[in-house]
């Protein structure tokens, strides 16, 4: 599979992973887990605004928000994740999706292939079972973005 | 046993106190320079494959249950060659005392310990309370990855029979006690996977006929340590109905949580014959012409097995 449909930031992340050996890919995922931003205060105090992705081995909560300008351009979607520090793998992938997708339009996010997590080259090192949670996380974001975009159009 | 066994009041009441060490004991051993000469090796084994990298007990090496202990193509554990190579790379020799710890009250650590036992590694112990207790006590962590001198490990063929049960063994076992260590929802058949965990593709929900339900976590106290012997006896003897000398099989979904219970039954309560059925519900729940029971009742021995 080629990476032509990937938004620029996500394509760069995929290239970074693919350029590395397997142990270094894990190390890079760990760096993404550390880089995952904290929730803004308004969400931190309102856990009910976040949805749990139950397919992940460790608790992961996420939500999206559409930011619409008045100039008629399509809304940019902001992504928010919450995962405990004891779940670095889950946090790492949330970090990848945050850096790769945050601020993009619905069209760009929905064009990301569902099996994009496989492109990171982590399946063997992380095992297919753990990869399933990652795929579910992307699927959940796309479903929420699609629903939100329908409401706005 | 190559490294001195810890003596304390809680452990002494267990059948095999030499199988546990406390966080105090381990911290003192590390302080005293026990690591580095190959006599004592500390192993971390977690559910999350990256958790070790976020910080671990100084000097500890990592063994990942999925990638290090499972065979990639067969639904089985690694063979004697692969285990010898893994052990040697981690600085473990055949006579090394191995202390294993991990996250989630040691459930993956107990699994790794069980696999070490399949290879007959003599002195392998669990850190009571595991990773969470060590951290809760504010003990030292490091992200430094040790580079141990290679251990000298012989190629030992796995001996599964004493502690591992296969599906056919479970059929032959009917009439003797089975312990189901999954959540009550999985036992009754309401769901086929752990609450908040991924669906792993079991077709039917329920339990193996006659199995008693004792969720694994009930054997652990709030701080992740094993419960005391009287508490464990109340759980497995009174509630599950086990009697001294029983031959027991424990199972869960893929065999990881039941390793935690296997350890409690074998080493803390002293049952001689305890086997872990690692095929567990992902095999039994899907197998053709295999009887199950739905609901909270244990059910009776299937007619075909009488």
């Amino acid at each position: 599979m080629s990476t032509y449909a990937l938004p620029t930031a996500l394509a760069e992340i995929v290239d970074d992973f693919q350029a590395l050996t397997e142990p270094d890919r894990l190390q890079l995922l760990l760096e993404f887990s550390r880089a995952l931003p904290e929730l803004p205060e308004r969400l931190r105090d309102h856990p009910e605004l976040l949805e749990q992705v139950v397919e992940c081995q460790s608790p992961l909560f996420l939500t999206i928000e559409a930011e619409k300008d008045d100039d008629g351009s399509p809304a940019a979607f902001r992504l928010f994740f919450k995962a405990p520090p004891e779940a670095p793998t889950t946090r790492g992938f949330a970090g990848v999706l945050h850096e790769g997708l945050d601020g993009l339009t619905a069209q760009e996010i929905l064009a990301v292939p569902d099996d994009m997590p496989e492109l990171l080259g982590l399946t063997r090192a992380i095992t297919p079972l753990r990869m399933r949670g990652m795929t579910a996380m992307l699927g959940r974001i796309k479903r929420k973005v699609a629903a939100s975009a329908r409401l706005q159009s | 046993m190559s490294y001195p066994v810890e003596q304390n009041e809680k452990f002494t009441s267990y059948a095999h106190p030499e199988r546990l060490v406390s966080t105090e004991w381990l911290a003192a051993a590390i302080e005293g320079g026990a690591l580095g000469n190959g006599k004592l090796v500390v192993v971390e084994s977690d559910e999350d494959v990256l958790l070790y990298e976020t910080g671990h007990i100084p000097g500890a090496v990592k063994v990942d249950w999925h990638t290090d202990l499972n065979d990639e193509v067969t639904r089985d554990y690694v063979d004697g060659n692969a285990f010898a190579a893994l052990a040697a790379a981690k600085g473990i020799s055949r006579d090394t005392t191995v202390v294993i710890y991990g996250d989630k009250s040691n459930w993956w650590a107990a699994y790794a310990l069980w696999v070490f036992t399949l290879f007959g590694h003599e002195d392998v112990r669990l850190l009571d309370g595991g990773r969470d207790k060590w951290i809760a006590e504010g003990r030292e962590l490091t992200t430094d990855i040790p580079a141990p001198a290679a251990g000298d490990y012989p190629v030992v063929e796995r001996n599964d029979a004493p502690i591992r049960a296969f599906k056919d063994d479970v059929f032959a076992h009917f009439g003797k006690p089975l312990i189901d260590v999954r959540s009550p929802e999985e036992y009754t058949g309401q769901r086929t996977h752990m609450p908040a965990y991924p669906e792993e593709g079991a077709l039917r929900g329920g339990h193996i006929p006659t199995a008693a339900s004792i969720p694994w976590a009930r054997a652990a106290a709030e701080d992740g340590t094993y419960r005391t012997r009287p508490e464990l006896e109340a759980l497995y003897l009174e509630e599950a109905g086990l009697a001294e000398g029983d031959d027991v099989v424990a199972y869960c979904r893929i065999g990881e949580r039941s390793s935690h219970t296997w350890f409690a039954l074998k080493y803390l309560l002293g049952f001689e014959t305890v086997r872990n059925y690692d095929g567990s519900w992902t095999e039994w729940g899907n197998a053709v012409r295999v009887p199950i029971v739905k609901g909270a009742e244990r059910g009776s021995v299937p007619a075909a097995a009488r």
Side-chain angles (χ1 to χ4, degrees), chain B residues 224-264:
Chain B
T225 57
Y226 273 108
R227 294 203 173 274
T228 62
R229 180 149 194 175
E231 290 169 332
L232 293 177
E233 285 176 348
L235 206 51
Y236 295 107
L237 305 188
E238 285 160 41
E239 198 174 322
L242 298 184
E244 204 187 318
D246 269 348
D247 170 358
V248 191
V249 169
Y251 72 94
C252 59
R253 181 187 46 119
I254 55 170
E256 87 293 21
R257 287 172 286 175
S258 43
S259 298
H260 186 271
T261 297
W262 170 84
F263 185 94

Side-chain angles (χ1 to χ4, degrees), chain A residues 87-89 125 127 129-130 132, chain B residues 47-48 64 66-67 197 199-200:
Chain A
T89 303
T127 75
L129 177 63
R130 288 161 173 154
R132 210 176 304 173
Chain B
E47 177 175 86
D48 192 301
D64 183 64
H66 283 287
T67 56
Y197 266 69
E199 169 59 61
E200 277 172 330

Side-chain angles (χ1 to χ4, degrees), chain A:
Chain A
M1 204 178 102
S2 76
T3 57
Y4 68 94
L6 294 181
T8 317
L10 195 56
E12 278 169 14
I13 295 171
V14 166
D15 287 346
D16 286 348
F17 271 95
Q18 288 187 346
L20 296 172
T21 62
E22 210 169 70
D24 287 342
R25 285 176 192 162
L26 281 176
Q27 209 53 43
L28 182 56
L29 190 66
L30 187 63
E31 282 164 30
F32 274 103
S33 85
R34 293 185 178 127
L36 182 68
E38 290 277 322
L39 286 177
E41 228 163 88
R42 62 195 157 79
L43 289 173
R44 217 175 302 155
D45 300 335
H46 291 279
E48 74 282 1
L49 297 176
L50 300 165
E51 274 183 31
Q52 183 170 15
V53 180
V54 294
E55 292 90 342
C56 292
Q57 277 197 335
S58 303
L60 174 100
F61 297 85
L62 65 83
T63 194
I64 59 157
E65 285 174 5
E67 265 177 8
K68 198 143 175 66
D69 285 332
D70 294 333
D71 63 1
S73 60
F77 281 89
R78 309 308 309 261
L79 274 45
F80 302 95
F81 299 91
K82 185 182 142 210
E86 312 85 77
T89 303
T90 301
R91 280 183 66 87
F93 195 64
V96 166
L97 291 181
H98 186 269
E99 191 170 317
L101 301 178
D102 186 53
L104 299 186
T105 65
Q107 198 186 359
E108 290 169 310
I109 292 173
L110 295 177
V112 174
D114 291 338
D115 59 356
M116 169 261 140
E118 305 288 335
L119 295 175
L120 298 175
L122 289 164
T123 309
R124 211 201 69 88
I126 286 194
T127 75
L129 177 63
R130 288 161 173 154
M131 287 301 291
R132 210 176 304 173
M134 301 194 171
T135 310
M137 213 186 289
L138 174 62
R140 180 68 68 93
I141 291 167
K142 288 174 72 173
R143 279 201 299 283
K144 286 181 75 72
V145 166
S148 168
R150 266 199 304 280
L151 281 176
Q152 287 170 16
S153 59

Side-chain angles (χ1 to χ4, degrees), chain B residues 6-18 20 229 268:
Chain B
E6 177 172 5
Q7 305 290 337
N8 71 43
E9 205 179 320
K10 180 193 173 196
F11 293 174
T12 305
S13 69
Y14 293 137
H16 295 277
E18 74 279 9
L20 282 176
R229 180 149 194 175
L268 307 185

Side-chain angles (χ1 to χ4, degrees), chain B residues 51 63 113 116 142 147 165 279:
Chain B
L51 195 52
V63 170
L113 181 143
F116 270 71
T142 180

Side-chain angles (χ1 to χ4, degrees), chain B residues 8-63:
Chain B
N8 71 43
E9 205 179 320
K10 180 193 173 196
F11 293 174
T12 305
S13 69
Y14 293 137
H16 295 277
E18 74 279 9
R19 292 293 171 183
L20 282 176
V21 304
S22 67
T23 48
E24 293 81 16
W25 182 93
L26 183 60
I30 293 172
E31 183 85 4
L35 304 184
N37 61 8
K39 288 197 73 170
L40 179 73
V41 171
V42 181
V43 170
E44 173 158 342
S45 201
D46 297 315
E47 177 175 86
D48 192 301
V49 69
L50 280 178
L51 195 52
Y52 169 89
E53 281 78 3
T54 67
H56 51 264
I57 296 179
V61 294
K62 165 186 173 180
V63 170

Side-chain angles (χ1 to χ4, degrees), chain B residues 33-301:
Chain B
L35 304 184
N37 61 8
K39 288 197 73 170
L40 179 73
V41 171
V42 181
V43 170
E44 173 158 342
S45 201
D46 297 315
E47 177 175 86
D48 192 301
V49 69
L50 280 178
L51 195 52
Y52 169 89
E53 281 78 3
T54 67
H56 51 264
I57 296 179
V61 294
K62 165 186 173 180
V63 170
D64 183 64
W65 181 75
H66 283 287
T67 56
D68 290 327
L69 298 177
N70 271 304
D71 185 274
E72 235 185 306
V73 288
T74 318
R75 184 171 173 187
D76 201 358
Y77 303 101
V78 293
D79 63 13
N81 280 313
F83 186 77
L86 171 72
K90 302 295 174 184
I92 298 169
S93 299
R94 190 66 173 164
D95 59 357
T96 298
T97 295
V98 177
V99 171
I100 309 186
Y101 74 99
D103 59 353
K104 315 222 161 171
S105 306
N106 276 333
W107 102 32
W108 296 94
Y111 207 157
L113 181 143
W114 179 75
V115 175
F116 270 71
T117 309
L118 290 174
F119 288 97
H121 192 91
E122 191 181 288
D123 190 359
V124 52
R125 314 179 190 181
L126 271 188
L127 175 67
D128 202 24
R131 180 182 167 92
D132 290 346
K133 184 159 191 280
W134 182 274
I135 292 174
E137 291 168 349
R139 297 184 189 276
E140 194 185 347
L141 293 176
T142 180
T143 52
D144 295 342
I145 312 273
D152 179 15
Y153 213 92
V155 174
V156 182
E157 284 318 309
R158 247 178 29 224
N159 183 13
D160 290 347
I163 60 167
R164 185 181 186 193
F166 295 96
K167 185 167 121 266
D168 290 347
D169 299 327
V170 176
F171 266 101
H173 183 82
F174 274 128
K176 290 181 260 182
L178 280 152
I179 306 281
D180 184 316
V181 316
R182 298 171 303 158
S183 61
E185 294 83 1
E186 293 170 273
Y187 181 84
T188 57
Q190 237 181 303
R191 64 196 310 163
T192 54
H193 56 103
M194 275 182 278
Y197 266 69
E199 169 59 61
E200 277 172 330
L203 288 174
R204 304 173 298 170
H207 57 269
I208 300 179
T210 74
S213 169
I214 306 283
W216 73 277
R218 295 182 63 195
E222 286 72 24
D223 63 358
T225 57
Y226 273 108
R227 294 203 173 274
T228 62
R229 180 149 194 175
E231 290 169 332
L232 293 177
E233 285 176 348
L235 206 51
Y236 295 107
L237 305 188
E238 285 160 41
E239 198 174 322
L242 298 184
E244 204 187 318
D246 269 348
D247 170 358
V248 191
V249 169
Y251 72 94
C252 59
R253 181 187 46 119
I254 55 170
E256 87 293 21
R257 287 172 286 175
S258 43
S259 298
H260 186 271
T261 297
W262 170 84
F263 185 94
L265 294 173
K266 175 121 184 127
Y267 294 132
L268 307 185
L269 292 181
F271 285 91
E272 287 277 324
T273 314
V274 188
R275 285 173 295 168
N276 182 21
Y277 169 38
D278 58 278
S280 276
W281 198 253
T282 53
E283 177 179 48
W284 194 274
N286 287 332
V288 175
R289 285 193 151 173
V290 164
I292 67 165
V293 173
K294 287 180 175 292
E297 297 301 319
R298 290 180 188 176
S300 49
V301 173

